[in-house]
Amino acid sequence: GWAYSSDGVYFAVVHDESPRITIYKQSDNVLTKLSNPAILPTGNANGCAFSSDGIYLAVVHDTTPFLTIYKRSEDTFTKLTDPAILPTADAIGCAFSQDGTYLAVVHETSPYVTIYKRSGDTFTKLSNPTTLPTGVARGCAFSPDGTYLVVAHSTSPYVTIYKRSGDTFTKLSDPSTLPAGAAWDCSFSSDGTYL
């Protein structure tokens, strides 16, 4: 997996071997590797996401704590304290809401999606949605306005769409036509009209 900061200055790549995260800074179309964070992800990294302001970088991986969150200051990425409640297993994907308030992490075991709310540098797990994805979740995306969260997963209906009201995520009715098989990832159009 990989992610660019929204300003295109920072580029992160996650991988299986140490250091498991490699971060580059782009200047004049040249990518220069930055120093590794002092504390690295504990296992093979599967995905990553920047907050839209480029300050926070979430990395999901296959070993506890399954989620490592960094805060950027200049060109230094410093690991934050782990959330009090962690994803339940191998985390596969993650996404920030556009305003950086919410972070969704998808993983291999129930509840398959863990949603955090950020306050300052603290990420607090929200209550699970009443209706959970039906199987291993592999990808997720927030709509640009942060109202909708979509989770792509391995079993029918293959996609679960939530609508956010405050800090509550409620499953919407399934689309009348579903994906034909296991879903691996998802994204919204920039205006949020298409998924």
Side-chain angles (χ1 to χ4, degrees):
W2 55 271
Y4 264 105
S5 59
S6 61
D7 61 5
V9 173
Y10 297 95
F11 176 61
V13 179
V14 296
H15 39 86
D16 286 349
E17 302 299 324
S18 183
R20 298 190 174 98
I21 176 87
T22 304
I23 306 169
Y24 298 91
K25 185 175 184 180
Q26 187 276 133
S27 179
D28 297 326
N29 295 319
V30 175
L31 290 174
T32 302
K33 183 188 177 301
L34 299 179
S35 297
N36 292 335
I39 299 173
L40 297 171
T42 56
N44 296 335
N46 296 315
C48 61
F50 278 100
S51 59
S52 62
D53 60 7
I55 299 296
Y56 299 95
L57 172 62
V59 180
V60 292
H61 42 88
D62 68 359
T63 305
T64 189
F66 306 114
L67 168 66
T68 301
I69 305 170
Y70 297 97
K71 183 176 183 180
R72 183 183 61 80
S73 177
E74 303 281 326
D75 293 341
T76 301
F77 288 78
T78 303
K79 182 187 178 297
L80 297 179
T81 301
D82 291 336
I85 300 173
L86 298 169
T88 55
D90 185 353
I92 300 171
C94 59
F96 277 98
S97 61
Q98 182 67 23
D99 64 2
T101 301
Y102 299 96
L103 171 64
V105 177
V106 293
H107 40 86
E108 287 190 341
T109 61
S110 185
Y112 303 113
V113 62
T114 301
I115 305 167
Y116 296 94
K117 184 175 185 180
R118 183 183 63 80
S119 177
D121 293 342
T122 301
F123 288 77
T124 303
K125 182 188 177 299
L126 298 179
S127 297
N128 291 335
T130 301
T131 304
L132 299 174
T134 56
V136 174
R138 304 183 190 282
C140 59
F142 280 96
S143 61
D145 65 2
T147 300
Y148 299 96
L149 169 64
V150 178
V151 177
H153 47 88
S154 62
T155 55
S156 184
Y158 307 116
V159 63
T160 300
I161 305 169
Y162 296 99
K163 184 174 184 180
R164 183 182 61 80
S165 177
D167 293 340
T168 301
F169 288 77
T170 303
K171 183 186 179 299
L172 298 180
S173 297
D174 293 336
S176 57
T177 303
L178 298 172
W184 288 88
D185 211 350
C186 53
S187 65
F188 279 92
S189 59
S190 60
D191 64 1
T193 301
Y194 299 98
L195 165 65

